[in-house]
Amino acid sequence: EYTMSAFGKDVKAVLAQEEIDRAILIGHSMGGDVIAEAASLMPDRVIGIIGIDTLQDVSGRYPQSEIDGMVAPLEADFRHGTRHFVATMFPEGTDGRLIQWIQEDMASAPSDIAINAFRNYLNQYVDGEAAEVFKTLRIPVVSLNGRLWPTNLENNRKVMAHYDLFYIEETGHFPMLERPEAFNQRLQEVIGHIETLHASE
């Protein structure tokens, strides 16, 4: 089983191996939940986490039937289902070559691992499990999101002790690939924001 908890333990193992005492963890998409799990395991090492186009509403809930419906096309034909799924993640006017590159890259993943991880990620939002790990965090949690999907700032702040939202404009789900220079600049601002909060404690 490829769970967010298992991935979080992987991140913890890397920080331990590299003897990193102070870290800001950054995770894109599903990686937002992974770094939350990792941070919960290392409260003495992680001073903040940054989710990239993720954590839109960690307390949101979805019926199991909706989750099954999202996974079904991938189980039926992983390559075709993945390409179609990825195509929905961009605003109009995105470079078609970039979309195709990301489609092919994601569609080339081992299907059994990808589907299992995706289902485990989504299943957290059936019973509210996704929100639980955030309730334990006392460090800053920041989303750096596009506007393709709405982010529920108020709901997230009900669950998280310290939550802030930054936007990067004119991007979809892959801002670091769609507008890399603007993304890097915005990310530095977010890192600076976390450093300032940490210094004030």
Side-chain angles (χ1 to χ4, degrees), residues 14 46 48 51 61 81 91 94 117 125-126 137-138 148 150 168 178 180 200:
V14 171
V46 179
R61 293 198 180 194
T94 302
Y125 292 89
V126 174
L137 299 180
R138 293 294 172 263
L148 192 62
I168 178 166
E178 297 168 63
S200 66

Side-chain angles (χ1 to χ4, degrees), residues 83-191:
R83 286 194 294 264
H84 177 75
F85 183 54
V86 171
T88 67
M89 299 179 179
F90 302 90
E92 290 186 17
T94 302
D95 186 341
R97 294 169 299 177
L98 176 63
I99 296 174
Q100 185 177 17
W101 182 83
I102 295 173
Q103 285 175 313
E104 292 306 312
D105 182 62
M106 292 185 66
S108 68
S111 60
D112 55 337
I113 295 174
I115 291 170
N116 183 270
F118 188 48
R119 184 176 282 283
N120 277 316
Y121 166 63
L122 294 176
N123 280 345
Q124 300 177 105
Y125 292 89
V126 174
D127 58 7
E129 179 187 347
E132 292 305 311
V133 67
F134 290 96
K135 293 177 181 177
T136 69
L137 299 180
R138 293 294 172 263
I139 57 174
V141 178
V142 182
S143 291
L144 176 52
N145 288 354
R147 296 186 187 269
L148 192 62
W149 303 306
T151 301
N152 196 323
L153 177 65
E154 291 184 3
N155 273 8
N156 281 349
R157 284 185 169 167
K158 290 176 183 177
V159 174
M160 305 179 200
H162 305 283
Y163 178 75
D164 289 298
L165 171 62
F166 288 67
Y167 284 109
I168 178 166
E169 305 297 342
E170 301 175 14
T171 67
H173 190 51
F174 300 88
M176 60 285 190
L177 300 176
E178 297 168 63
R179 299 187 63 207
E181 291 184 5
F183 171 78
N184 288 340
Q185 180 178 344
R186 202 74 172 118
L187 181 60
Q188 287 295 334
E189 293 173 12
V190 177
I191 291 171

Side-chain angles (χ1 to χ4, degrees), residues 2 4 7 27-35 52-55 114 117-122 124 173:
Y2 294 87
M4 303 309 102
F7 290 140
H28 170 247
S29 192
M30 184 189 298
D33 291 76
V34 171
I35 60 175
I52 308 301
D53 205 54
T54 187
L55 313 180
F118 188 48
R119 184 176 282 283
N120 277 316
Y121 166 63
L122 294 176
Q124 300 177 105
H173 190 51

Side-chain angles (χ1 to χ4, degrees), residues 63-75 85 118-119 122:
Q64 187 66 55
S65 58
E66 187 172 336
I67 302 301
D68 293 342
M70 293 179 67
V71 178
L74 306 182
E75 293 176 328
F85 183 54
F118 188 48
R119 184 176 282 283
L122 294 176

